[in-house]
Amino acid sequence: MLVNMKQILEIAEKEQYAIPCINTPNIETLRAVIGAAEELNTPVIIDHAEVHDPLIPIERIGPEMVKYAKEATVPVCVHLDHGTDYTFLMRAIRAGFSSIMYDCSALPFEENVKRVKAFVEIAHNLDITVEAELGMMKSTAEDTHEEDAESRVLTNEDIREFFTDPEEAKAFVEQTGCDALAVCFGTMHGIYAEPPVLDIDRVKEIRAAVPADCRIVMHGASGVEFSQVQQAISAGCSKVNFYSYMAKAASKFVSDLVIEKEGKIAYHELQEEAYVFMKGYAKDVLKAFRNGK
């Protein structure tokens, strides 16, 4: 069942759990995430990140995501992750996405507000939910695939520099009317150089400040201890993005399997083994983010 984010995140927040948002850049991952959600009878958000478009264009993977969502026995939101190029947002709309993140967090506050507000007016007329970001989330080069991204080590103190201010978050949501807001409180995208430490009190402050009809989003959850993620969920995060470590674990699983089989395994068999592994991984993530619900 294809839904937008607003329909499922409102329920998640009321019941104090979070819905994972997982990248699905190929069919095996798409099947695995939807299959995991169906087996657990729980909603899920699948997404296509703009940085993955060179790997698989939205015109190719998008229709498959929408098809799987419509045929699923559970509510599935098809979401665009970190859309920064306006043309790309339009491509997502044409592909049938039910939710779009317009990430203008690298811009000054006023410009971020201006662009997101204008897009919200367009999206809401199409029954599409909009996520924005305030407090720029840092990334590793491995995750972004950007040519100009540096391979750098980011400490927890480095990340703290980009934390979201609760009062700014309140003003941003009131002025833009966005449905969800990604905030920074101790996470980043990609692979962590040291165990992250989340500022849970900041999450509580942001949740208290932001209008009640806007959901709070946690990005960069993979690599964070589930116990910390669960604290963030209890503090007010109802959407949690997760992917990098799942992809890394799947790569290791496939590599180990090829070695174990001494290379005597067909490609289609390897694909199915990877699908089964990723479905199990996705189920663990879904269960953890349910917070015992």
Side-chain angles (χ1 to χ4, degrees):
M1 180 196 324
L2 177 65
V3 299
N4 65 30
M5 269 201 316
K6 192 177 185 71
Q7 296 167 269
I8 52 178
L9 291 188
E10 184 176 357
I11 297 171
E13 179 158 346
K14 284 180 180 177
E15 298 189 10
Q16 289 196 310
Y17 68 88
I19 298 174
C21 179
I22 304 176
N23 294 77
T24 55
N26 57 31
I27 296 299
E28 286 70 42
T29 310
L30 177 56
R31 289 173 55 215
V33 174
I34 297 287
E38 288 182 323
E39 287 189 14
L40 295 175
N41 193 31
T42 186
V44 72
I45 301 168
I46 55 175
D47 75 20
H48 178 66
E50 186 172 332
V51 294
H52 287 157
D53 209 57
L55 172 69
I56 182 165
I58 194 169
E59 285 78 14
R60 199 164 96 219
I61 192 64
E64 292 294 331
M65 294 169 68
V66 172
K67 174 179 176 290
Y68 271 81
K70 287 180 176 179
E71 294 175 355
T73 58
V74 295
V76 179
C77 172
V78 179
H79 180 69
L80 177 68
D81 189 35
H82 290 285
T84 59
D85 179 74
Y86 195 80
T87 302
F88 196 74
L89 308 186
M90 297 300 106
R91 290 168 61 195
I93 290 175
R94 287 195 295 271
F97 280 48
S98 57
S99 181
I100 294 175
M101 180 184 187
Y102 190 16
D103 183 1
C104 301
S105 60
L107 300 174
F109 180 85
E110 294 77 11
E111 186 64 20
N112 191 351
V113 167
K114 178 183 175 181
R115 295 192 185 194
V116 172
K117 180 180 180 181
F119 182 67
V120 165
E121 292 176 4
I122 295 170
H124 281 183
N125 283 331
L126 299 170
D127 198 28
I128 294 172
T129 43
V130 178
E131 177 181 336
E133 182 171 317
L134 188 65
M136 193 168 73
M137 190 80 61
K138 299 306 292 179
S139 304
T140 62
E142 179 177 352
D143 181 63
T144 61
H145 309 294
E146 295 172 358
E147 293 179 4
D148 60 345
E150 300 176 11
S151 294
R152 54 191 175 268
V153 175
L154 292 172
T155 66
N156 288 320
E157 194 57 36
D158 292 329
I159 298 171
R160 179 170 287 277
E161 178 186 346
F162 302 93
F163 277 15
T164 304
D165 177 79
E167 288 307 309
E168 276 199 346
K170 177 178 184 292
F172 184 90
V173 174
E174 288 176 344
Q175 292 178 50
T176 64
C178 64
D179 304 289
L181 184 66
V183 297
C184 183
F185 56 93
T187 60
M188 67 171 208
H189 297 119
I191 309 301
Y192 290 95
E194 64 176 339
V197 177
L198 306 187
D199 187 341
I200 302 302
D201 286 339
R202 185 171 294 260
V203 180
K204 294 177 181 177
E205 291 171 9
I206 293 171
R207 177 61 280 176
V210 167
D213 60 351
C214 178
R215 310 276 79 83
I216 304 302
V217 180
M218 174 183 182
H219 282 235
S222 56
V224 181
E225 290 290 337
F226 279 169
S227 59
Q228 281 202 87
V229 177
Q230 289 167 338
Q231 289 178 49
I233 293 169
S234 296
C237 292
S238 52
K239 172 179 177 278
V240 179
N241 284 39
F242 192 103
Y243 181 66
S244 295
Y245 279 67
M246 178 176 168
K248 186 178 180 182
S251 294
K252 185 178 185 306
F253 170 79
V254 169
S255 176
D256 290 346
L257 185 59
V258 170
I259 293 171
E260 178 190 328
K261 299 292 185 179
E262 298 180 343
K264 297 175 182 177
I265 182 169
Y267 177 62
H268 62 273
E269 294 174 322
L270 198 59
Q271 284 182 305
E272 286 305 300
E273 292 285 356
Y275 154 71
V276 172
F277 174 83
M278 287 188 290
K279 184 167 72 169
Y281 200 117
K283 285 174 71 174
D284 288 342
V285 172
L286 284 158
K287 288 176 184 176
F289 295 175
R290 291 287 300 187
N291 256 2
K293 303 295 181 181

